[in-house]
Amino acid sequence: MSLVVITDDRFGDHTVPAGFPERPARLGAALAGIARSHAVDAVRSMSPTPAPMEALVAVHDQAMIDLARETCAAATVDRPGHLDADTAVVPATWEASVLAAGAGLTAVDELRSARADTAFCLVRPPGHHATPSHSMGFCVLNNVAVTARALADAGERVLIADIDCHHGNGTQDCFIGDPRVMFVSWHQWPLYPGTGRADEIGIDAGRGFTVNVPLPPGTTGDHYRASVEQIVAPEIERFDPTWLLISAGFDAHRADPLTSMGLTAGDYTQLIVDIMDSTPRAKVMAFLEGGYDLEAVTKCTTGLIGALVQSTEFTETVTSGGPGGAAVQAVAEVRKRAMEGG
Ligand SMILES: [Zn+2]
């Protein structure tokens, strides 16, 4: 198995105010995780092609794209602009954002041409909070959504598995009515941005193609595993995706400063393996989303790389026995009722 990492030094030029958790040092932490992987010899890196405007307007309103570009252009490094309270931008942010949005399209080209078997888009800014109409929550453009929309338009069935600790509200909004894209999110509840209840299952033709698994603070890996077995895997088998896009946020790690979940890097590895095992025919790629403890990002990235090349490597032990079991049962019941109702 060969893996291509789509990344670029320009992602580090998106600088942020002092103390901001979503910072350039996260890139180096992830690169260290790749370097430590026993599969490092299977890895090569390349720069992304910037996303073309057609791919951006397939996901986002033109007005939102214009506002983001103009806010970046009007900012200075010393006086950043703000797209929302959490989303500071400097002039270099725009180029980084368009490269980040294009990374998945570059990865698709690499996988389709068999120049690589799998891909990791190591990008900043992250994307999963960016909605069709608003940049928010550290995210300017929705990187994973740009790729999923392009694949769906090319006739593919796309599964997005969002393992970031926060609900991927922007990605959900993009595909809430679209049966070509299944969106699954595991997230701490309650937590920013406040969406992702179990009864959010999709609307209209997309009904049933959104799967939300809200979990309480402290949830351990065994309950994530149970949620895959009992709730998510049957949905995925029914959908039968041809592509799997993993929104790989590592902020559900127990060391993360913004969240309160109980996972280790080993749990993340197991979760990725379990998701991949339920999509045996799909081409697979991952996108970096959140994750704010640098050592956790390093260890989780090592686990991700191993899982992607089907050479699993546990950098920390898996966990069990914490809270979360009752929540998984509740999600299953709420989802069943929501699917039956209306
Ligand atoms: Zn997050």
Side-chain angles (χ1 to χ4, degrees):
M1 293 285 285
S2 65
L3 185 149
V4 62
V5 174
I6 314 291
T7 195
D8 197 289
D9 288 343
R10 286 171 284 182
F11 294 136
D13 296 338
H14 165 50
T15 55
V16 292
F20 220 65
E22 200 295 288
R23 59 206 191 276
R26 302 177 59 246
L27 297 166
L31 287 169
I34 296 167
R36 281 190 207 172
S37 168
H38 65 201
V40 66
D41 290 345
V43 177
R44 70 180 164 87
S45 295
M46 67 180 289
S47 287
T49 301
M53 186 55 73
E54 311 89 81
L56 299 184
V57 297
V59 168
H60 297 295
D61 297 347
Q62 186 71 54
M64 167 195 165
I65 296 167
D66 292 344
L67 176 66
R69 184 176 50 202
E70 289 161 12
T71 304
C72 294
T76 68
V77 171
D78 296 327
R79 290 181 65 90
H82 281 85
L83 296 173
D84 83 340
D86 300 318
T87 314
V89 300
V90 295
T93 301
W94 182 247
E95 184 175 33
S97 298
V98 176
L99 286 167
L105 302 176
T106 300
V108 167
D109 284 345
E110 292 299 298
L111 269 56
R112 279 209 168 121
S113 63
R115 290 190 291 270
D117 298 311
T118 184
F120 176 38
C121 299
L122 203 187
V123 299
R124 286 180 67 247
H128 75 147
H129 292 308
T131 75
S133 59
H134 288 91
S135 304
M136 60 180 278
F138 310 150
C139 302
V140 178
L141 302 168
N142 196 317
N143 309 318
V144 74
V146 166
T147 299
R149 180 63 51 82
L151 286 168
D153 287 347
E156 304 288 350
R157 290 185 307 281
V158 185
L159 170 66
I160 300 174
D162 189 325
I163 57 176
D164 189 279
C165 196
H166 301 90
H167 181 237
N169 62 300
T171 311
Q172 175 171 303
D173 285 359
C174 290
F175 302 109
I176 191 80
D178 190 341
R180 305 171 304 170
V181 178
M182 175 172 276
F183 174 68
V184 182
S185 178
W186 292 260
H187 42 274
Q188 183 179 325
W189 182 273
L191 190 68
Y192 180 92
T195 49
R197 297 189 318 270
D199 64 358
E200 295 170 24
I201 60 169
I203 59 172
D204 302 331
R207 186 180 167 78
F209 296 92
T210 294
V211 184
N212 280 301
V213 185
L215 296 166
T219 296
T220 41
D222 50 342
H223 303 305
Y224 274 78
R225 179 149 228 207
S227 76
V228 175
E229 287 174 7
Q230 296 171 25
I231 301 166
V232 176
E235 300 280 4
I236 294 174
E237 278 167 32
R238 176 171 62 86
F239 181 60
D240 190 22
T242 54
W243 286 73
L244 165 62
L245 312 184
I246 302 171
S247 264
F250 298 130
D251 44 6
H253 191 283
R254 54 181 53 195
D256 195 88
L258 299 191
T259 65
S260 313
M261 291 304 245
L263 299 191
T264 60
D267 292 318
Y268 260 113
T269 302
Q270 187 65 57
L271 177 60
I272 293 164
V273 167
D274 288 346
I275 295 166
M276 289 178 64
D277 282 350
S278 69
T279 63
R281 299 197 310 116
K283 289 187 167 62
V284 184
M285 69 171 79
F287 296 72
L288 183 65
E289 300 281 4
Y292 306 102
D293 179 83
L294 297 181
E295 185 60 25
V297 169
T298 297
K299 289 176 176 168
C300 290
T301 300
T302 301
L304 170 69
I305 297 298
L308 287 175
V309 300
Q310 297 178 5
S311 176
T312 307
E313 178 174 8
F314 288 90
T315 56
E316 293 177 327
T317 54
V318 298
T319 62
S320 63
V328 171
Q329 297 314 314
V331 168
E333 286 161 24
V334 169
R335 182 171 178 81
K336 186 163 176 282
R337 275 203 304 278
M339 291 293 288
E340 287 166 356

